[in-house]
Every structure is written in C-alpha cells, then in structure tokens.
Amino acid sequence: MTSDAPRTVQRLLIRYAYVWSVAIVVVVTAALWVIQHVLRFSLLSISPIYLVAVLLCAATLGRWPAMLCAGLSFVAFKFFFVDPIYSFTVDDAEDVSRLLVFLTTAFLAGGIALRVRAQATEAQQRADEAAALYALSQAISAELDFNTIAPLFVATAQRLLVSPGCRMLLVSDDGELKVCAESGAWPANAPIASAPLRSGNQTFGSIQIVSRPAQDTPVASQQRLLDTLANQAALALERSRLSQAAARAEALAASDRLKSTLLSAISHDFRTPLASIIGAAEELLSEDVRWSPTAIRDFAQVIDSQAHQLHHLVANLLDLTRIEAGVMHSQRGWYNMAEIIYSVLDRLASELAGRPIELVVADDLPLLPVDYVQIEQVLWNILQNARAYSPPGTPITITAGLEARELRIQIGDRGPGVAPEERARVFEKFYRASQPAGTRIPGTGIGLAICKGLIDAHGGRITLLGREGGGALVEIYLPIEASQRAVPVGV
C-alpha cells in the first residue's frame, strides 16, 4: 500500500491540475494578505513569492496549469497589493511597468521550470528504459530457447511503451507471419506501431504494439525504443537458431561417431569370434581329415567359447539400447552374492585359465534383493575388462564384504590402470580409456556403461580407482535394505 501512495498522489495532481493551480494562488494570496494587512509585517517584495508558486505549478502540474497560475498571480498581485488595492486600475506608470515585468518574469520562469521538468522526466524515462533493457539482457543472456525469450520481449515492450497490448510475429516455414508471443489486450481496428525483426539482410518477423488512444502514431522516442527491442529480439532469435543448428550438427556428429564405433565393433570384435567359429566348423566338416575325439572336442570348445563371446557382445549392445530407452527393468529376488560370484567365475573358467584368482568372500553376507542376471552381467563385464587389460599370468582379486549398511564388492587387476582424469568418463557409453603405446585392446566401450546403468537401477553406485603398485580397482556398493523395489534402468 505504501508503494502505491506516490502514484495515487500523481494521478490526483494530473486529474485536478487546474483546481490545484487556482488553489495555490488563493493560498499564497491569502497568506500574503494576512501577513501584510492583519499582522502588519512589511513584505519588501510580493512578486517573488508568486514566482515561487508559478515554479511549483510548472514543476508539478504541467504547462497550462502553470500558465493559469501565472495569470492568476498577476491579477491577484495587482488587486490585493498594488495601489490602488481592490481595483484593477493603475494610477502610476511605474506600477504598470512593474506589473508587466512581473507577468513576463512569471511566464519565463514557468517556461524554464517546464523545460527542466521535461528534461528531468526524459532523463528518468531513459534511465528506466536502460534499466529495463539491462534486466532483459540479463534474463536472456543464458537462455537459448526463443520460445522462452519472446514473452520477455513482449512484456518489456508493453511495460515501457505503456501500451494496451503487444505481440511478436515470426515468419513461419510456409512464409506466413504467425504470432509467437503476445501480452495484454488487442482491440479490433486498433492503431498499430511496429518494428521489423531484422538481422543483416534477413527479416525474421516483427514486434507490434497497440498505440494509446490519445495518439495514432508513436512519437520518435517510442519508435526508437521499439526499434531497439526489435533489434535485440532479432539478435536473440538468430543466436537461438545458431545454437539449435550447432546442437543438430553436434547430434549428427555424435551419430556419426556412434556409427563409426558400431562399425568398428562389428568389423573387429564381431568378426574375430565369427571367423573362429567358421574356421572350426569348416575343419570339422572337412572330409579330407579324420579328426580324433580330442581334436573334435577342442574344435567344439572353440565354437562354444567364441559363440558365447559373440552372444556377450550382442547382449551388451541390446542391453545398452534397452537401458537408454528406459525399458529394462530389474526383476529381483533374494540371492547370496557369493553364489553369483562363483557362477560368473565358472562361466569364465576358460578365459581366466592360467590366472591366479584371489577370492575373499565374507561368510556373513546377507541375502540381497537383486536381479540375478543383471548383477551377473555386471561382474562378467568387469572381470572381462580385468582379463583384457592386465598381462597374462597376473592375479585378479575379488573381495566381497559388508561396510556399514552396504555390501561392497571389489575387483582389481595389475594392468596399467586408468588415469585419474578418465576414471569417471569410462562409465560413459563408447568411451575407452587411453591405452599404452603400441597396444590395441579390442572393445566397444559399452561394458562399463551398462554396469553403471544396472547398478544405478539397484540403488547402488560403482566407481573406478587406482591400486597401490599399479592396476585398476572397481568398487561396487549395493544397499542391503529390504525395502528396495525394482526401478527402470537408465544410463
């Protein structure tokens, strides 16, 4: 309520300006008359006090109320204070010149005050415009979506130009102007002022306002402000479109990188097991050689292991697709983690042959509500990485135990490890850590991304650390609260 008081006073002054002008002259005249004729104080000069009244009217009420005040002050000054008083006749020529000087001075003082008032009003208006434009620029500086930016321009234009309505129109793909944002009322057949949204030789649309009833066309300052807002809106629109184009280009580049990665995986990681399977099958089908049962078994083992490898690669790609689509769910049951670890080691027995496995599993592990297949897949991926990225014959350590209200699983190797700045990124899809010079370890870069998605779905977390003496250490934490429920998997 306090903040509205100055506006209320201003509205009253404007509405009753002439009444206030007359009232000021009456009050000043009455005060001077009482001082001089009742209290018997001698005022050396009455006219400057009237000039103060004229200046007050000019500064607060405007041009014509100030002129009225000057005229009334001239009349009151003559009638009450210039001999003969209470008469409009003048006997002395000196009094005539004095009255004319007073009238001229009153009009000049009023004009000067009006000019100063206009300059102050214009300066305040420019300051308000600058503040509003600065606030607008701050609001849109970090915003790239023009659908969010456009209403800010429309609201700012309506407020600064004191317009009943404002709207922004953009050229659509079919070449027609369509409303992008609007604010306020838009009366039919209302006079309209507009400014084009132009950047260089390209016109994007226009911003329009409804002219106020008192004017059919905007004054120069209003048109200048409207042009300024239109130029800023055009720059913001161009920036938004450039940002969208850059995002589309980045998406296309990412798609190309994805295609290259998938082609690389298919050309190498898929081709190798296929070649082994085809070679072993052809040897078995050859009629020129009679293979011994031992050789036949060896060929069968090659086909079996390579088929499982191929199945694993295809399953990883399908799992990643399901995770990103959010359609992969955890189907949980109560399982002992030691059972899952032993199952994975049994599946990888041939791949891990010749490697020491340092296994430490606590005896008091509780049953956990987990998806058996998904957790098995996580451990399988990590152990395959440990095997691939560490020298043959080096040990792989596996520990499982309780820590606070979580079950912690650690899998470590003695390979080159991962640089600290890359440890978080290895869980991104298709990202592969830097490899030692002269080595190329096959892989698609999706195994750890799948691990993170599956562990996140179980309410756990997975991290990659370094080991003292060299190597990498993957830590998995799974909560042991029984109140967990299955949630969609997402990377």
Side-chain angles (χ1 to χ4, degrees):
M1 182 174 181
T2 304
S3 60
D4 294 336
R7 296 181 181 178
T8 303
V9 172
Q10 185 177 10
R11 285 197 296 268
L12 290 175
L13 289 175
I14 294 174
R15 179 176 297 181
Y16 303 105
Y18 294 99
V19 176
W20 285 109
S21 179
V22 173
I24 289 173
V25 175
V26 171
V27 170
V28 170
T29 301
L32 292 176
W33 191 89
V34 169
I35 293 173
Q36 188 168 15
H37 295 284
V38 176
L39 300 179
R40 303 297 180 179
F41 286 108
S42 176
L43 295 177
L44 297 179
S45 180
I46 299 296
S47 58
I49 299 178
Y50 279 111
L51 292 179
V52 173
V54 174
L55 292 174
L56 178 63
C57 286
T60 57
L61 302 178
R63 177 182 299 275
W64 297 115
M67 297 299 102
L68 175 62
C69 181
L72 293 177
S73 296
F74 171 78
V75 172
F77 178 57
K78 166 60 192 77
F79 191 81
F80 291 99
F81 301 103
V82 177
D83 293 329
I85 60 176
Y86 309 130
S87 172
F88 292 107
T89 60
V90 181
D91 296 337
D92 191 347
E94 184 179 348
D95 289 340
V96 174
S97 62
R98 187 170 60 171
L99 288 172
L100 291 176
V101 169
F102 168 77
L103 183 61
T104 302
T105 305
F107 279 112
L108 288 176
I112 294 173
L114 286 170
R115 188 175 297 110
V116 172
R117 179 172 180 262
Q119 292 174 348
T121 301
E122 184 179 1
Q124 182 61 44
Q125 182 178 358
R126 288 182 178 274
D128 293 341
E129 291 175 3
L133 292 175
Y134 175 76
L136 178 62
S137 65
Q138 291 293 105
I140 67 174
S141 60
E143 183 60 57
L144 296 176
D145 184 6
F146 194 73
N147 291 327
T148 303
I149 295 175
L152 298 178
F153 276 101
V154 169
T156 301
Q158 183 186 11
R159 185 176 71 255
L160 290 180
L161 297 172
V162 197
S163 171
C166 179
R167 66 185 178 186
M168 184 181 294
L169 297 93
L170 297 180
V171 179
S172 62
D173 295 336
D174 54 7
E176 296 182 358
L177 282 175
K178 294 185 178 180
V179 176
C180 173
E182 60 183 342
S183 176
W186 201 265
N189 301 322
I192 296 174
S194 66
L197 273 65
R198 184 181 295 116
S199 179
N201 296 325
Q202 187 175 7
T203 300
F204 302 117
S206 66
I207 183 170
Q208 301 178 346
I209 63 167
V210 177
S211 298
R212 283 174 286 179
Q215 57 187 42
D216 292 334
T217 58
V219 297
S221 60
Q222 291 177 323
Q223 187 62 49
R224 172 186 54 78
L225 178 58
L226 190 60
D227 290 338
T228 300
L229 288 168
N231 290 335
Q232 284 197 2
L235 292 175
L237 177 58
E238 187 174 29
R239 184 186 63 177
S240 175
R241 291 183 175 180
L242 288 175
S243 174
Q244 292 175 359
R248 286 193 295 269
E250 176 61 27
L252 290 174
S255 177
D256 289 339
R257 290 194 298 269
L258 175 60
K259 292 176 183 177
S260 299
T261 302
L262 289 176
L263 288 175
S264 175
I266 293 173
S267 64
H268 186 276
D269 297 327
F270 282 27
R271 186 171 57 187
T272 300
L274 282 174
S276 300
I277 293 172
I278 292 172
E282 288 178 347
E283 292 295 335
L284 287 175
L285 293 174
S286 175
E287 298 179 355
D288 299 334
V289 181
R290 296 182 63 84
W291 299 105
S292 65
T294 303
I296 293 174
R297 180 175 177 81
D298 291 339
F299 283 128
Q301 287 179 342
V302 169
I303 294 173
D304 180 70
S305 64
Q306 295 303 313
H308 277 88
Q309 178 70 12
L310 188 60
H311 171 76
H312 168 69
L313 292 172
V314 173
N316 269 346
L317 288 173
L318 293 177
D319 286 347
L320 182 63
T321 302
R322 295 190 188 100
I323 289 173
E324 289 190 319
V327 297
M328 191 172 188
H329 295 265
S330 298
Q331 298 178 355
R332 302 190 184 188
W334 292 94
Y335 299 99
N336 188 293
M337 189 55 60
E339 177 186 349
I340 302 177
I341 293 174
Y342 292 135
S343 172
V344 175
L345 290 175
D346 184 61
R347 286 177 54 193
L348 289 172
S350 59
E351 287 90 342
L352 298 178
R355 284 182 178 271
I357 303 297
E358 300 175 356
L359 181 62
V360 179
V361 178
D363 296 330
D364 58 347
L365 295 183
L367 296 177
L368 290 181
V370 297
D371 186 306
Y372 188 101
V373 175
Q374 291 179 3
I375 297 300
E376 189 181 48
Q377 181 74 9
V378 169
L379 299 179
W380 199 95
N381 286 349
I382 296 173
L383 286 170
Q384 282 283 41
N385 280 351
R387 178 192 63 81
Y389 286 91
S390 61
T394 57
I396 295 176
T397 62
I398 305 172
T399 62
L402 295 178
E403 184 174 299
R405 297 294 298 171
E406 294 178 310
L407 184 142
R408 183 183 67 180
I409 304 170
Q410 295 177 312
I411 300 176
D413 61 54
R414 287 301 178 185
V418 179
E421 63 272 14
E422 293 186 288
R423 290 173 184 169
R425 296 200 63 191
V426 296
F427 294 101
E428 300 174 8
K429 57 181 178 296
F430 301 117
Y431 182 85
R432 302 194 65 199
S434 303
Q435 300 181 18
T439 63
R440 187 192 182 282
I441 301 172
T444 58
I446 62 175
L448 289 179
I450 292 174
C451 292
K452 186 178 187 308
L454 297 178
I455 294 300
D456 287 346
H458 283 77
R461 63 188 190 277
I462 181 171
T463 58
L464 177 63
L465 306 173
R467 296 185 71 187
E468 292 185 6
L473 180 68
V474 177
E475 288 190 337
I476 301 171
Y477 291 88
L478 292 171
I480 60 176
E481 285 78 8
S483 59
Q484 295 182 97
R485 59 183 180 85
V487 296
V489 179
V491 178

